[in-house]
Amino acid sequence: AQKVTQAQTEISVVEKEDVTLDCVYETRDTTYYLFWYKQPPSGELVFLIRRNSFDEQNEISGRYSWNFQKSTSSFNFTITASQVVDSAVYFCALNTGFQKLVFGTGTRLLVSP
Amino acid sequence: DSGVTQTPKHLITATGQRVTLRCSPRSGDLSVYWYQQSLDQGLQFLIQYYNGEERAKGNILERFSAQQFPDLHSELNLSSLELGDSALYFCASSEDSFSGNTIYFGEGSWLTVV
């Protein structure tokens, strides 16, 4: 079975702090895809990144970076120099061959000025 | 803007009623997905259609049904509504049914059952 665990329910930081959101996944498939989505207070789900199981290179996009480690089944997300606009719920998700995304329970990030 | 359009954005209805949620996928996308987000269940996959045909089914209640039309838009029908059906319903789309495709979500339809 596929499962995604986001153990951090809520994280509070002050602006300009760095913050890492943890994601641990479970799957027996050798080919799978990992995603991060952002859900701001307005409610929409915004796609952030996709990573396939064969590509363990870390990725950086502006203040965002992702660390994928197959050895620990983790796909962590770091926001550098956080801003108030980063306040949102962040979801990690897994897709294998079953053509559906399995989501974690989400991590609520609160960035205060 | 993901390109996935959902209507209505907000809906309040009474128990026992029936509602229809509508979704237009991104231009060119053949797969449409429906997800339910509730406080107690989180984000749950309901159903997927690919080019008009049902492709995968998740935790969709028998009171719920969906279809995808020849123009690729989709509708989710919710009937005999209960208080517990109150949730945010997302439609999403992807290019095809490949599991590696990015799935783009609409803004959701907030359903409140009173």
Side-chain angles (χ1 to χ4, degrees):
Chain A
Q2 292 74 39
K3 184 180 178 183
V4 175
T5 301
Q6 294 181 255
Q8 303 153 308
T9 305
E10 185 170 308
I11 301 175
S12 292
V13 299
V14 177
E15 226 176 359
K16 296 182 183 173
E17 281 186 34
D18 298 347
V19 57
T20 295
L21 310 181
D22 297 333
C23 172
V24 174
Y25 61 92
E26 293 177 32
T27 180
R28 292 180 182 173
D29 293 277
T30 56
T31 301
Y32 52 89
Y33 300 84
L34 294 162
F35 301 80
W36 276 94
Y37 287 84
K38 173 183 180 180
Q39 186 174 37
S42 50
E44 72 268 31
L45 273 172
V46 179
F47 164 74
L48 295 178
I49 189 171
R50 178 190 72 183
R51 181 51 54 117
N52 75 56
S53 54
F54 299 108
D55 182 3
E56 287 193 70
Q57 278 193 337
N58 292 333
E59 182 155 340
I60 298 175
S61 175
R63 296 183 297 106
Y64 295 172
S65 63
W66 290 269
N67 184 309
F68 175 32
Q69 291 196 338
K70 286 179 75 171
S71 60
T72 55
S73 297
S74 65
F75 186 42
N76 297 336
F77 173 30
T78 297
I79 301 175
T80 302
S82 60
Q83 300 176 1
V84 173
V85 293
D86 295 327
S87 297
V89 180
Y90 292 86
F91 291 95
C92 181
L94 168 69
N95 198 345
T96 64
F98 295 97
Q99 300 164 8
K100 64 175 185 178
L101 281 174
V102 174
F103 283 88
T105 51
T107 297
R108 181 178 300 276
L109 175 64
L110 298 171
V111 182
S112 54
Chain B
D1 183 0
S2 67
V4 179
T5 304
Q6 289 187 246
T7 56
K9 288 192 171 25
H10 297 273
L11 192 56
I12 301 175
T13 190
T15 54
Q17 295 298 305
R18 171 190 167 97
V19 299
T20 298
L21 309 181
R22 194 177 189 280
C23 170
S24 294
R26 293 189 324 150
S27 177
D29 283 359
L30 298 178
S31 266
V32 169
Y33 310 78
W34 287 96
Y35 281 80
Q36 179 195 57
Q37 184 178 29
S38 60
L39 283 174
D40 54 347
Q41 296 289 328
L43 270 160
Q44 297 283 318
F45 168 72
L46 295 179
I47 198 165
Q48 178 203 3
Y49 279 82
Y50 173 70
N51 204 21
E53 294 194 1
E54 182 182 305
R55 179 58 65 97
K57 217 167 185 176
N59 302 319
I60 188 166
L61 300 172
E62 285 193 10
R63 301 184 284 108
F64 296 180
S65 64
Q67 55 184 327
Q68 185 180 28
F69 295 88
D71 67 352
L72 300 178
H73 91 271
S74 178
E75 292 181 356
L76 178 65
N77 300 296
L78 315 174
S79 61
S80 302
L81 285 167
E82 302 174 359
L83 296 178
D85 298 327
S86 296
L88 179 57
Y89 291 85
F90 283 108
C91 174
S93 73
S94 67
E95 191 175 330
D96 52 38
S97 60
F98 173 52
S99 60
N101 287 146
T102 296
I103 299 178
Y104 294 94
F105 287 77
E107 294 185 350
S109 292
W110 291 89
L111 172 65
T112 302
V113 183
V114 297

